[in-house]
C-alpha cells in the first residue's frame, strides 16, 4: 500500500503540484483580513471549473448526463457555501472600503476541493474504465458542480453582505 501511494505521488504531473502551490498561496491570501474584490473571487472557481469540464467534455462517455449532474449540483453547493460563509465570514466597513475579517474558510474549501478532485482523478488514472462508467461520470460531475457551488455561495454571500453594509451606511 505504501508503495502504491508513493507511486501515485510520483506519477502526478508537475502542473498539479504547481496548481496546489498556487491554490494554497491564494487560499492563504484570501483568508486574511483584507478589502473584498468580487471580481477576484471568481479566479479559484474558474480554475476548478476548467479542471472539471476538461475531463467531462474530452473523456467522459455520458456528456449530457455529466452536464446535467454538474449544473444541478451547483444549486445545493451554492446554498451550503452561502450558509457556511454566513456563519463564519464577517464583513465591516473601514472608511469607504468593505473589509473581510480573517477567516480560513476559503482556504479550507480550496483544499477540500483540491483533495476531492485529486482523488477522483487518481481513481481515473488507476481505473480508466471509469471514463465509460455512467455512475462514476455522474458522481464526478455532481461533485465537481457541488464544489463550484461552494465557491459561488461564498461569492453570493459576500455580494449581499457588501450591499447590506453599503445600504446601512448610505
Amino acid at each position: 500500500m505504501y508503495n502504491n501511494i508513493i507511486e501515485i505521488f510520483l506519477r502526478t504531473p508537475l502542473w498539479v503540484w504547481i496548481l496546489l502551490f498556487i491554490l494554497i498561496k491564494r487560499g492563504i491570501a484570501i483568508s486574511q483580513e483584507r478589502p473584498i474584490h468580487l471580481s477576484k473571487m471568481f479566479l479559484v472557481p474558474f480554475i476548478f471549473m476548467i479542471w472539471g469540464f476538461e475531463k467531462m467534455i474530452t473523456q467522459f462517455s455520458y456528456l449530457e448526463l455529466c452536464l446535467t449532474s454538474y449544473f444541478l449540483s451547483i444549486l445545493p453547493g451554492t446554498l451550503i457555501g452561502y450558509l457556511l460563509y454566513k456563519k463564519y465570514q464577517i464583513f465591516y466597513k473601514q472608511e469607504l472600503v468593505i473589509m473581510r475579517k480573517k477567516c480560513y474558510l476559503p482556504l479550507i474549501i480550496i483544499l477540500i476541493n483540491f483533495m476531492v478532485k485529486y482523488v477522483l482523478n487518481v481513481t481515473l488514472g488507476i481505473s480508466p474504465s471509469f471514463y465509460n462508467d455512467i455512475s462514476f461520470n455522474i458522481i464526478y460531475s455532481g461533485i465537481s458542480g457541488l464544489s463550484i457551488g461552494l465557491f459561488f455561495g461564498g461569492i453570493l454571500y459576500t455580494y449581499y453582505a457588501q450591499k447590506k453594509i453599503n445600504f446601512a451606511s448610505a
Side-chain angles (χ1 to χ4, degrees):
M1 172 119 178
Y2 178 74
N3 289 338
N4 290 341
I5 293 171
I6 290 174
E7 187 169 335
I8 288 169
F9 282 112
L10 291 176
R11 287 186 169 206
T12 299
L14 180 61
W15 71 265
V16 174
W17 300 122
I18 293 170
L19 177 62
L20 176 59
F21 175 77
I22 291 167
L23 290 171
I24 290 172
K25 188 176 175 187
R26 180 77 182 135
I28 290 170
I30 62 178
S31 296
Q32 304 306 307
E33 188 163 320
R34 63 189 294 164
I36 59 169
H37 301 282
L38 285 172
S39 60
K40 289 183 180 179
M41 293 181 74
F42 286 93
L43 176 64
V44 173
F46 183 71
I47 291 169
F48 280 103
M49 286 176 80
I50 290 172
W51 195 2
F53 274 138
E54 185 276 328
K55 280 279 188 256
M56 288 188 294
I57 292 170
T58 63
Q59 296 179 326
F60 282 2
S61 297
Y62 301 95
L63 181 58
E64 287 181 21
L65 289 173
C66 288
L67 293 175
T68 301
S69 174
Y70 182 87
F71 287 111
L72 287 177
S73 298
I74 288 175
L75 296 173
T78 301
L79 177 62
I80 293 166
Y82 184 91
L83 294 173
L84 284 170
Y85 273 80
K86 184 176 181 180
K87 182 172 182 173
Y88 295 108
Q89 187 68 73
I90 299 169
F91 299 95
Y92 64 96
K93 193 165 192 172
Q94 182 177 6
E95 298 173 18
L96 297 174
V97 179
I98 306 295
M99 301 286 290
R100 129 175 59 216
K101 285 200 174 200
K102 187 175 191 174
C103 174
Y104 287 101
L105 181 62
L107 176 61
I108 292 167
I109 289 175
I110 288 170
L111 292 176
I112 289 171
N113 273 292
F114 180 87
M115 290 307 299
V116 168
K117 201 63 119 178
Y118 182 78
V119 168
L120 288 171
N121 285 298
V122 165
T123 302
L124 286 167
I126 293 170
S127 302
S129 63
F130 283 137
Y131 285 110
N132 300 313
D133 184 283
I134 190 168
S135 297
F136 188 85
N137 283 202
I138 292 170
I139 290 168
Y140 183 101
S141 304
I143 290 172
S144 295
L146 187 72
S147 70
I148 294 303
L150 292 173
F151 291 113
F152 287 162
I155 293 168
L156 187 63
Y157 178 70
T158 301
Y159 172 78
Y160 283 129
Q162 180 182 24
K163 290 293 181 196
K164 184 178 178 182
I165 291 170
N166 281 332
F167 181 75
S169 63

